[in-house]
Amino acid sequence: MDTLTALHTRVSFPRLSEPAPNEDQLEAIFQAALRAPDHAMLRPWRFLTIAGEQRNQLGQLLVAAAKQANPQITDAEQNKLLQAPLRAPLLVAVICSPKFHAKVPELEQLLSTAAAVQNMLLAAYALGVGAMWRTGLISYHEHVQQGLGLSNTEKLLGFIYMGQPVGQPKSIMPLDTKDYFQPWQG
Ligand SMILES: Cc1cc2nc3c(=O)[nH]c(=O)nc-3n(C[C@H](O)[C@H](O)[C@H](O)COP(=O)(O)O)c2cc1C
């Protein structure tokens, strides 16, 4: 797939099944992340792959955090969180790991990490791997961040779910560039 086709047609795949991307596909996807724009080449990111039994552990972590946030959480809500990581064979946790630099504020490092995610989504799409960036409010809870081993300065930016796409890609709503791009009037 050529670059512009990937850029113009990429979609997320909410329904994913086995198998997880193979080793070559993953290497290509991860290399794409590492080509994100990165002021001062700080590499302000790290990623954790979560597969197999670790997905159940992540589900338990989400439930424990949700119970802290809301002790009245229902069984159904707990079960939904428990099952959430099982929606794909592989998850990649995205962590912004900012480095101190006098000229590169933390915001730019967050933006670099987000660009790394977009590169991964595009690479996955070009390879026929289904992917979707998901967070869920509970992923911002400190218990989740601690459970995944983040330091106080790191931020979890969500999870990229990856697997074999199930079903057809959704149709894309055409947008008019003129609605979003205008000449500056000075
Ligand atoms: C930071 C971030 C977090 C997201 N979290 C979720 C989420 O938790 N659940 C969800 O359904 N979509 C989430 N999305 C949106 C999907 O990843 C996706 O972009 C959206 O459904 C539009 O689909 P498309 O990528 O095919 O245009 C998130 C997007 C971003 C940028």
Side-chain angles (χ1 to χ4, degrees):
M1 186 182 295
D2 70 81
T3 309
L4 277 180
T5 303
L7 285 163
H8 292 165
T9 64
R10 181 209 64 80
V11 285
S12 299
F13 288 90
R15 294 184 60 217
L16 299 164
S17 69
E18 302 278 348
N22 66 35
E23 213 175 295
D24 289 346
Q25 290 171 324
L26 270 188
E27 179 62 19
I29 292 166
F30 293 169
Q31 284 291 346
L34 303 181
R35 278 310 310 138
D38 175 13
H39 195 173
M41 300 299 170
L42 296 177
R43 320 296 187 215
W45 47 56
R46 64 189 185 91
F47 306 93
L48 299 172
T49 56
I50 302 171
E53 167 55 26
Q54 271 70 43
R55 294 174 306 159
N56 290 316
Q57 289 182 28
L58 175 60
Q60 284 158 12
L61 192 58
L62 299 177
V63 170
K67 278 183 175 166
Q68 281 187 21
N70 171 21
Q72 271 80 51
I73 183 172
T74 65
D75 286 351
E77 287 164 336
Q78 287 185 47
N79 199 41
K80 195 170 173 204
L81 286 173
L82 205 53
Q83 300 295 322
L86 303 179
R87 289 175 291 183
L90 178 73
L91 281 64
V92 178
V94 178
I95 299 164
C96 180
S97 195
K99 315 286 183 291
F100 176 76
H101 191 289
K103 293 183 181 164
V104 186
E106 190 177 315
L107 173 62
E108 291 188 10
Q109 303 189 43
L110 284 166
L111 297 173
S112 272
T113 309
V117 175
Q118 175 67 358
N119 276 8
M120 282 194 268
L121 294 175
L122 281 164
Y125 179 72
L127 290 167
V129 170
M132 180 153 174
W133 188 355
R134 291 181 182 275
T135 45
L137 273 185
I138 204 63
S139 70
Y140 299 109
H141 195 283
E142 70 171 358
H143 188 72
V144 175
Q145 313 247 343
Q146 280 167 6
L148 286 169
L150 273 67
S151 72
N152 288 338
T153 60
E154 292 182 318
K155 285 197 173 63
L156 182 66
L157 301 193
F159 302 91
I160 308 178
Y161 284 59
M162 285 190 219
Q164 176 77 26
V166 175
Q168 293 304 307
K170 68 178 174 223
S171 48
I172 301 170
M173 193 203 319
L175 295 174
D176 190 339
T177 55
K178 291 189 202 66
D179 291 339
Y180 302 94
F181 295 81
Q182 285 105 23
W184 186 46
Q185 299 302 326

